[in-house]
Amino acid sequence: MAGRCRHPTSEGIYEGVKPVLFVLDPELIKLVLVKHFDHFTDRPIFKFGREAFLHKTLIALQGSEWKKTRDACTPAFSSGRLKAMVPLFIACAQNMVQYLKNITKEKGETEYEIKRLLINYTLDAIASTSFGVNLDSFSNPNSEFAKKGLKFQDIGIFRRALVILCIMFEMPGWITSRLPLSLFNRESLIFFAENLKTTRNFRTKNNIRRNDLLQLLLDAQAAPVEIIGENDEDIFHEKRELLDEETALAQSVFFFLAGFETSSTQLSMACYELAKNKDIQDKVRQDIQKHWNEGELTYEAINSMTYLDMVMAETLRMYPPVARVERVVTKPLTLNGLKLDVDTKIAVPVYGLHQDSNYYPEPMQFKPERFTQEEKAKRSPYVYLPFGAGPRNCIGLRFAAISSKICTAYLLKYFEIDVCEKTPIPFEFDRQAVFLKPKDDLYLKMTRI
């Protein structure tokens, strides 16, 4: 591509010195992400930072190394394991509700910065279900874990500018990997890496086993990984290669940090929209109460809450965690008459698709009814990509879904959510963050029911 080129279903631009082809048509998106995946197996990657594990996360790995690691992590997110995690999610949600009840004991309500509340929930949920660590962030909101988590995307203006310049001018990896730079806060990354190493070493020394992601990765270091099909009607067993220590550590750190950041933002935006749209809030609360009358919330009850699922889907449409999905051509091919050479960068504008009125009329309006079965059947699934699509989609999407729905169900069962004087309407996105999130605090009023 030279200069700026247009194609009926795509558009090419230069970002710095690198040409990028934006794929706009749903059928072409399907070809790139799914049908011709073997030609687009890698993501564009830039190696920043001297720590080896920073270069070995699932989003950074390429080719056979990516596939081996993905296979090793996949069993951690099977239906059976997710169902087993439900009591742990519930315990975290109960701690959150009890915390809110305590601070609303006198007045029956409070104005609270919702993102901080939900960061504590997601930190606890991921630490408990994935790494067997009981953080109890609501009893200890100023813990080092919470502080480092909040700084995850904070790398400073100067360092961010250096990262952007390195990307724009395609600085070689042997240079950037020696620089003290990162797409995320290195202090947070190293802090969590050291804590996970300590947890791993403690388990190994004391022969402690738990049914979680960390254990799965520990096992992958010690013996070939056994992959079991998730569909009970199509069970299969297959052996995969070992993972080295740095690769296993990289998955633990990145899943912890990226998972809590994206999930807490999704929950915050859901609460924000429900506070502005009280009729929708009432309707989703009715859906929750219909399937959760008494006793403990169950996995089956959560999966029966159709309207809650629609609310979370609409939240992800309006506020997808990542604004665009990227791939790199790994084998040359001709796509819809356009010849693509190896190393050509492909981008799918997720946020743009989600805001396209051709697919979603009145895209700035919060309308969960867009995700009824009837409405979804009217449009291509490739215009809704909050977690990507195809073999390289987000591995934790079902984990995020069940965790977010349990949290929302508990909040709405016990509290009514409203806007208040400090609620920013509209709010501004943080333009310096890697993942989409509000720039400023989101205060909402929580009233006990």
Side-chain angles (χ1 to χ4, degrees), residues 113 115 424 427-430 437-443:
E113 205 288 289
K115 181 71 184 290
F427 70 85
E428 182 181 349
F429 281 118
D430 185 348
K437 69 173 187 176
K439 178 182 178 182
D440 300 313
D441 293 341
L442 286 182
Y443 278 88

Side-chain angles (χ1 to χ4, degrees), residues 147-411:
K147 290 178 180 177
K148 291 295 190 295
L150 286 169
K151 293 176 62 178
F152 174 48
Q153 295 199 66
D154 181 13
I155 65 173
I157 295 176
F158 177 70
R159 289 193 176 188
R160 189 175 302 277
L162 287 179
V163 167
I164 292 172
L165 285 173
C166 288
I167 293 173
M168 288 181 65
F169 291 99
E170 291 199 289
M171 296 288 288
W174 66 269
I175 293 178
T176 57
S177 62
R178 289 168 169 77
L179 298 175
L181 299 176
S182 174
L183 290 172
F184 304 102
N185 184 282
R186 291 180 69 249
E187 185 181 349
S188 293
L189 290 168
I190 294 169
F191 171 82
F192 283 101
E194 292 301 320
N195 275 273
L196 284 167
K197 282 182 182 178
T198 301
T199 303
R200 180 194 63 197
N201 292 339
F202 178 78
R203 286 196 194 182
T204 303
K205 181 179 179 180
N206 294 280
N207 197 28
I208 295 173
R209 295 185 61 84
R210 281 179 57 99
N211 187 24
D212 56 22
L213 175 64
L214 181 57
Q215 188 63 55
L216 193 75
L217 294 171
L218 284 170
D219 292 345
Q221 291 177 240
V225 181
E226 184 176 47
I227 307 301
I228 302 175
E230 294 182 16
N231 189 336
D232 291 338
E233 298 177 359
D234 183 24
I235 297 177
F236 61 91
H237 297 261
E238 188 175 351
K239 294 290 186 179
R240 294 300 190 201
E241 300 176 55
L242 296 172
L243 293 185
D244 63 74
E245 182 176 326
E246 291 294 346
T247 303
L249 176 65
Q251 311 328 310
S252 301
V253 173
F254 192 77
F255 178 73
F256 190 99
L257 289 167
F260 100 78
E261 176 69 35
T262 55
S263 292
S264 61
T265 298
Q266 178 194 357
L267 284 165
S268 300
M269 302 321 304
C271 289
Y272 178 78
E273 289 297 335
L274 292 173
K276 294 194 303 174
N277 298 276
K278 295 300 294 294
D279 56 331
I280 296 175
Q281 183 179 154
D282 292 341
K283 190 171 179 179
V284 72
R285 184 177 289 109
Q286 290 169 11
D287 185 40
I288 292 165
Q289 292 170 341
K290 175 183 176 182
H291 295 96
W292 180 22
N293 294 320
E294 56 185 31
E296 290 291 344
L297 185 59
T298 65
Y299 180 76
E300 291 74 19
I302 279 290
N303 287 330
S304 298
M305 296 175 186
T306 306
Y307 197 71
L308 174 60
D309 187 70
M310 291 159 56
V311 165
M312 303 314 291
E314 175 67 348
T315 301
L316 288 169
R317 180 197 67 81
M318 291 187 70
Y319 309 105
V322 179
R324 76 190 202 189
V325 171
E326 296 180 337
R327 296 288 186 270
V328 172
V329 177
T330 51
K331 291 194 298 185
L333 82 164
T334 299
L335 190 67
N336 201 29
L338 188 62
K339 184 179 179 181
L340 300 177
D341 297 323
V342 171
D343 290 334
T344 301
K345 185 175 177 180
I346 308 294
V348 179
V350 174
Y351 187 75
L353 289 167
H354 288 194
Q355 294 292 321
D356 192 328
S357 59
N358 291 314
Y359 307 124
Y360 303 101
E362 298 181 295
M364 297 304 294
Q365 299 298 311
F366 189 74
K367 295 182 177 182
E369 286 72 19
R370 301 182 203 272
F371 291 92
T372 63
Q373 292 301 319
E374 294 77 14
E375 287 299 313
K376 287 194 293 184
K378 295 177 182 178
R379 60 179 179 263
S380 167
Y382 298 97
V383 297
Y384 179 71
L385 300 167
F387 296 107
R392 198 145 188 172
N393 67 347
C394 174
I395 194 172
L397 64 92
R398 293 200 301 159
F399 178 99
I402 192 72
S403 171
S404 298
K405 286 192 278 190
I406 287 173
C407 178
T408 306
Y410 265 88
L411 269 179

